[in-house]
Amino acid sequence: MKKIIIARIHLHLEKYLRRAITHFEKEDYPFSFFCGSTLVEEIGKIGTIGMVDFAVKNGILEGRLDLTGKDAQRKFRMHRSKQIAAVALTLHVNSRVSRIYREAEKRFARWYRKEEFFRKRNESLYVEIIDAEALQVPEDVISMDDAFLMTCMAGECLAEIQGEMISSENSEHERILSLVEEFRESNMSILERIRNEESNKSMASDVDG
């Protein structure tokens, strides 16, 4: 991809991370969650392009990188395929993320594994009908903890695709990590709460088992 396109991709992706942080700080947790989850899906698009481009360049696939074909367009529109691409390429085996977030990573993994991303993303934006007499607004279901964890993990994904995947400088990886670290360190009490809740769930599950 041409440098001007890469630069615009950088701006586009980082915009969502910064907006997730800004809305979190404004206590608009649903929209913070939405920005973070959208960033994950946008990273999935870039990951899909990167994997196909690598396969073509290395002779694994014949032809050339074609983003106009039906298969590419279908993957670009499928929420699940974008989520898989983003998480599999960045967090699936990441010892640094596991060491930092510990039990909290399990909650994000559960959203991913149980395919809850799309539902929670919709819940972060729209009013939903619960029953004949009740409506649900985003603030009813998206918590501060949800927004914090999604913002952190989206930022971690963004940091991990820097370098070869979108041809950025190595310093970009460190810069994005610093941005995520500053946000995380400013909200360590939330991270500790999520860790404790997930740890208690695991212990309860062991007892029930």
Side-chain angles (χ1 to χ4, degrees):
M1 288 185 286
K2 296 180 180 179
K3 286 186 177 180
I4 189 169
I5 297 176
I6 293 170
R8 292 175 68 188
I9 290 172
H10 272 290
L11 290 173
H12 173 70
L13 297 179
E14 189 171 332
K15 170 189 69 180
Y16 276 112
L17 176 58
R18 291 190 177 276
R19 287 184 178 178
I21 293 172
T22 297
H23 283 281
F24 184 91
E25 292 171 344
K26 292 179 178 179
E27 299 183 9
D28 184 357
Y29 303 125
F31 202 69
S32 172
F33 186 98
F34 169 77
C35 291
S37 60
T38 299
L39 174 56
V40 170
E41 291 202 2
E42 290 294 85
I43 290 168
K45 287 182 183 178
I46 304 305
T48 300
I49 295 172
M51 286 188 293
V52 174
D53 191 36
F54 176 86
V56 170
K57 288 179 178 177
N58 289 274
I60 301 170
L61 291 177
E62 294 183 358
R64 62 183 179 85
L65 178 62
D66 183 7
L67 303 181
T68 62
K70 288 183 179 180
D71 186 55
Q73 290 294 310
R74 180 177 59 83
K75 289 180 178 178
F76 261 46
R77 291 190 177 94
M78 288 180 62
H79 295 279
R80 182 60 177 164
S81 66
K82 289 181 287 186
Q83 294 155 9
I84 290 172
V87 175
L89 288 169
T90 60
L91 301 181
H92 184 60
V93 180
N94 190 317
S95 59
R96 186 188 59 79
V97 168
S98 297
R99 173 176 52 81
I100 292 172
Y101 295 92
R102 302 203 297 269
E103 293 87 352
E105 187 184 15
K106 294 179 181 178
R107 182 172 300 183
F108 184 80
R110 190 163 57 247
W111 293 343
Y112 168 72
R113 190 173 57 252
K114 293 188 176 181
E115 301 186 23
E116 295 181 2
F117 271 64
F118 186 64
R119 174 181 60 78
K120 292 183 74 68
R121 184 170 176 267
N122 279 350
E123 289 175 341
S124 72
L125 274 184
Y126 305 119
V127 172
E128 302 284 351
I129 299 174
I130 303 303
D131 56 40
E133 299 180 353
L135 296 176
Q136 170 185 286
V137 297
E139 287 75 12
D140 292 335
V141 287
I142 303 297
S143 68
M144 175 172 61
D145 293 8
D146 291 338
F148 167 80
L149 186 58
M150 179 57 78
T151 299
C152 285
M153 290 302 183
E156 296 287 355
C157 289
L158 180 59
E160 290 302 320
I161 68 165
Q162 305 302 316
E164 187 172 326
M165 193 173 298
I166 55 174
S167 303
S168 62
E169 299 294 329
N170 289 333
S171 59
E172 282 297 288
H173 174 78
E174 296 301 325
R175 187 180 66 81
I176 297 297
L177 281 183
S178 294
L179 182 62
V180 177
E181 181 179 6
E182 181 181 356
F183 173 72
R184 185 180 65 245
E185 294 296 321
S186 297
N187 297 281
M188 277 301 294
S189 62
I190 302 174
L191 179 56
E192 289 295 339
R193 180 167 63 242
I194 298 173
R195 285 172 176 168
N196 290 336
E197 288 176 358
E198 291 300 318
S199 180
N200 290 338
K201 283 182 181 179
S202 294
M203 287 190 291
S205 178
D206 291 342
V207 170
D208 293 340

